[in-house]
Amino acid sequence: MAAVAQAKPDGYTLGVAPAGALTVNPHLNSSMPFDPKDLAPITLLAEIPFVLVASASVPAHNATETIALAKAKPGALSIGHGGNSTAMHLTAALFTQKAGISMELVPYRGTAPAAVDVLAGHVPFAVLDIPASRQLILEGKLNAVGVSSVRRLPSLPDVPTLAESGIAGFESVGWFGLVAPSGTPADIVARLNDAFVKALKDPVVAEKIRTLGAEPAPTSPEQFGRFIQSESTKWGKLISEAGIKAN
């Protein structure tokens, strides 16, 4: 991202920016090799939703039951996630904060070991991505508490969102977006936006993105810019209040 921010703003150097680089890391690090304001938003590319799951032996099949269980055993339950300061960590922290419950957040070195431990019952809950959890949910080996996106997922249509399960306004997704160096002419940004939005709306492309566990999310440059700002505000507030530190 630093290389993109420092490149000539002529439309020939672009970056695929992950959520963390633009909206999380600036709140975790006292210094950054670039300023997110040095990047011009073109379009959001894809969102990566997560799912809060419970071990099959845990009597929690939705957010209401999970919250009730956590309140009955304050601090005794835990949620595994894919690593400190990752999107899955932030999703778990946001869930406990908005639900008003106390649960230990257990970092793993990636999604796979977290999935293994929640499947084995070593940790009662976990925040996983869709590729790591979908088949286990469909086979009944894990209970799906809820998905973290604002809308239900085509790949798990019967699993409610956490927002519709009683945690009003809940939304937490990983994402990638296309950016250019700040100062790139508006007409070039518009041409790039048109091309990428057209591609993202192609059914073949959209289906390929979904097989990777993401959802296509084309936007205008202005919408993407507002989204970056709202995400930065949300995660900055959570990081501060929850005392989350960088690795």
Side-chain angles (χ1 to χ4, degrees):
M1 289 301 98
V4 176
Q6 297 161 12
K8 185 178 179 180
D10 55 10
Y12 287 98
T13 301
L14 307 175
V16 177
L22 301 186
T23 65
V24 176
N25 290 353
H27 300 288
L28 291 172
N29 300 283
S30 58
S31 64
M32 290 277 290
F34 72 97
D35 187 329
K37 293 180 181 178
D38 293 335
L39 297 167
I42 297 174
T43 180
L44 189 61
L45 295 172
E47 294 181 342
I48 304 167
F50 304 109
V51 57
L52 176 62
V53 299
S55 295
S57 60
V58 175
H61 298 79
N62 53 53
T64 301
E65 292 177 357
T66 299
I67 293 169
L69 194 63
K71 287 184 175 180
K73 301 178 179 180
L77 300 178
S78 58
I79 302 177
H81 59 78
N84 187 47
S85 75
T86 63
M88 286 172 279
H89 179 194
L90 297 178
T91 298
L94 187 65
F95 172 74
T96 58
Q97 183 192 67
K98 282 188 169 292
I101 55 179
S102 174
M103 299 176 75
E104 181 184 5
L105 306 185
V106 182
Y108 285 82
R109 293 189 175 184
T111 304
V116 169
D117 266 16
V118 72
L119 183 64
H122 299 315
V123 61
F125 296 92
V127 173
L128 304 177
D129 59 25
I130 303 307
S133 60
R134 181 175 181 270
Q135 196 58 39
L136 295 173
I137 292 169
L138 295 178
E139 292 174 359
K141 295 178 179 178
L142 290 176
N143 299 331
V145 174
V147 295
S148 66
S149 53
V150 72
R151 291 176 293 276
R152 292 196 184 198
L153 305 179
S155 58
L156 290 170
D158 296 329
V159 179
T161 67
L162 291 170
E164 70 179 288
S165 300
I167 306 179
F170 190 95
E171 181 182 14
S172 177
V173 293
W175 53 264
F176 290 90
L178 191 69
V179 296
S182 180
T184 300
D187 62 323
I188 293 178
V189 170
R191 287 175 61 191
L192 289 165
N193 178 269
D194 287 344
F196 276 88
V197 167
K198 181 179 179 181
L200 290 166
K201 290 183 177 180
D202 182 293
V204 175
V205 174
E207 182 56 31
K208 180 62 177 177
I209 290 172
R210 290 190 174 105
T211 64
L212 300 174
E215 286 293 314
T219 65
S220 70
E222 295 76 18
Q223 288 172 324
F224 186 29
R226 290 193 295 270
F227 178 72
I228 292 171
Q229 184 56 54
S230 67
E231 286 282 282
S232 181
T233 299
K234 175 171 69 178
W235 296 127
K237 182 174 183 289
L238 178 73
I239 287 167
S240 175
E241 293 176 350
I244 295 172
K245 306 294 184 182
N247 286 320

